């Protein structure tokens, strides 16, 4: 019986999340109402409030899930070898590919601007802890270098999403790695 309830609970949360994401395509989170989410999901408002406080809480839970997934991906790889760095980036890009619609919405102007900042902070902490220590980057410079690298990578990923994933995750991982490791010097080859 509890498995059935868990399955129903998972289904309810899934359709509520999908409904919010769908609404964020056309309007900012501040204009989305719980009533709209429930109508789209075909879920009773009291059921919504059993799971979430409001539309902002629902969005935060979606973002937390993605952040947790990304942290798991990042922690399963080491950036000490370039091939592993490319492989880790490729895995992240495959995750984004598999969740393309959600990322397109969460990184657009209608969603929470803190989502992008949260993703940047996760990546920056990971880079500062792993890669910077390996390459003996001074602590005072590591914050700026990680901001530069992560901001560039996120904007490249946003552009890739805008271009309907016109390159494979593997091609994009190599490009991002090349941009990060070689900067503009790769143009002089």
């Amino acid at each position: 019986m509890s498995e059935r309830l868990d399955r129903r609970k998972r289904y309810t949360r899934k359709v509520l999340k999908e409904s919010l994401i769908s609404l964020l395509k056309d309007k900012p989170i501040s204009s989305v109402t719980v009533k709209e989410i429930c109508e789209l999901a075909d879920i009773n408002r009291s059921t919504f409030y059993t799971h979430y406080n409001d539309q902002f809480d629902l969005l935060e839970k979606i973002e937390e899930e993605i952040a947790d997934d990304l942290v798991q991906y990042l922690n399963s790889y080491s950036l000490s070898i370039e091939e592993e760095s490319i492989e880790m980036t490729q895995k992240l890009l495959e995750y984004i590919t598999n969740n393309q619609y959600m990322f397109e919405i969460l990184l657009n102007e209608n969603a929470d601007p803190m989502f992008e900042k949260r993703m940047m902070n996760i990546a920056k902490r990971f880079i500062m802890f792993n890669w910077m220590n390996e390459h003996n980057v001074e602590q005072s410079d590591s914050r700026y270098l990680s901001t530069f690298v992560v901001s560039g990578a996120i904007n490249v990923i946003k552009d890739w999403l805008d271009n309907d994933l016109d390159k494979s995750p593997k091609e994009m991982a190599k490009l991002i790695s090349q941009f990060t490791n070689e900067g503009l010097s790769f143009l002089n080859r």
Side-chain angles (χ1 to χ4, degrees):
M1 182 77 168
S2 75
E3 181 183 318
R4 187 172 156 198
L5 283 175
D6 287 343
R7 208 170 55 220
R8 194 177 324 154
K9 192 183 284 188
R10 282 193 310 269
Y11 172 79
T12 300
R13 289 180 179 168
K14 178 181 179 276
V15 296
L16 289 170
K17 289 173 187 175
E18 289 171 352
S19 297
L20 176 59
I21 294 296
S22 179
L23 290 166
L24 287 174
K25 181 178 183 193
D26 300 317
K27 60 199 301 187
I29 184 67
S30 58
S31 297
V32 173
T33 65
V34 170
K35 181 180 178 186
E36 289 175 304
I37 297 168
C38 292
E39 285 175 356
L40 190 58
D42 196 24
I43 301 273
N44 187 307
R45 282 178 57 171
S46 63
T47 302
F48 177 93
Y49 289 115
T50 301
H51 298 276
Y52 305 103
N53 297 325
D54 56 24
Q55 69 274 31
F56 299 102
D57 183 41
L58 173 54
L59 180 58
E60 186 176 325
K61 297 298 188 273
I62 293 169
E63 292 173 354
E64 285 173 5
E65 256 180 47
I66 291 171
D68 290 345
D69 282 351
L70 291 178
V71 167
Q72 278 186 287
Y73 271 123
L74 290 171
N75 286 333
S76 66
Y77 294 95
S78 169
L79 281 176
S80 60
I81 302 172
E82 185 177 343
E83 289 76 28
E84 281 191 9
S85 172
I86 291 171
E87 185 178 332
M88 181 213 52
T89 304
Q90 181 178 339
K91 293 293 183 199
L92 287 170
L93 294 171
E94 288 169 357
Y95 177 81
I96 290 169
T97 300
N98 293 334
N99 297 282
Q100 178 181 356
Y101 183 71
M102 185 178 310
F103 273 93
E104 286 173 349
I105 300 303
L106 291 176
L107 290 172
N108 83 15
E109 66 277 353
N110 289 332
D112 178 10
M114 292 306 294
F115 176 71
E116 185 174 330
K117 188 172 178 89
R118 181 185 282 174
M119 297 301 102
M120 285 182 63
N121 286 335
I122 289 169
K124 282 173 56 177
R125 278 194 309 271
F126 185 78
I127 287 172
M128 287 174 70
F129 180 76
N130 291 299
W131 192 74
M132 304 262 180
N133 289 336
E134 174 102 4
H135 291 86
N136 298 319
V137 175
E138 284 197 33
Q139 191 67 26
S140 61
D141 296 338
S142 65
R143 179 183 56 199
Y144 298 116
L145 181 57
S146 64
T147 298
F148 179 79
V149 169
V150 172
S151 296
I154 285 180
N155 283 296
V156 166
I157 291 168
K158 286 169 69 173
D159 193 41
W160 180 56
L161 285 165
D162 288 343
N163 285 300
D164 201 29
L165 310 178
D166 60 346
K167 294 186 180 291
S168 73
K170 186 174 187 171
E171 291 172 307
M172 288 304 297
K174 286 180 181 177
L175 273 177
I176 290 171
S177 178
Q178 193 173 24
F179 296 158
T180 301
N181 294 325
E182 300 174 32
L184 294 176
S185 66
F186 82 95
L187 293 172
N188 297 325
R189 287 189 281 164

